[in-house]
Amino acid sequence: MAGSDEKCAWLTDELGFDAAINYRTEDFVEAVKELTSGKGVDVILDMVAGDYVDRDLKCLAEDGRLSILALLGGGKAEVDFSGILFR
């Protein structure tokens, strides 16, 4: 994920990423689901935390891992665990 189309282009064109999501213009949960055919991703490295945590969890594949590296968005999060428990 990146915050501009230019950064997304750099990730795909220069670094060889398969895809990049502009989190400012796209719903990254929907984009992840679409890119993974609904499976989700295996690993998320999150430097924001805060209100991103609930959305991060919705992006994870079964047995996926969420690693929070920093708290740029704050140390508190509201999470709806029913979306995880009842997949």
Side-chain angles (χ1 to χ4, degrees), residues 4-78:
S4 73
D5 291 337
E6 293 79 16
K7 289 178 183 177
C8 286
W10 178 74
L11 291 169
T12 56
D13 300 345
E14 301 296 324
L15 294 183
F17 283 37
D18 291 332
I21 301 164
N22 183 336
Y23 64 85
R24 295 182 195 272
T25 61
E26 297 180 71
D27 177 340
F28 70 83
V29 175
E30 291 302 318
V32 165
K33 293 297 183 180
E34 184 177 324
L35 288 166
T36 62
S37 300
K39 177 186 176 250
V41 295
D42 295 320
V43 177
I44 295 174
L45 303 176
D46 183 349
M47 297 190 65
V48 178
D51 66 355
Y52 274 53
V53 173
D54 189 55
R55 290 179 280 168
D56 289 343
L57 293 173
K58 292 175 182 170
C59 292
L60 286 176
E62 188 171 330
D63 294 326
R65 305 288 192 268
L66 170 60
S67 182
I68 297 174
L69 306 174
L71 303 173
L72 297 173
K76 295 183 181 184
E78 185 173 323

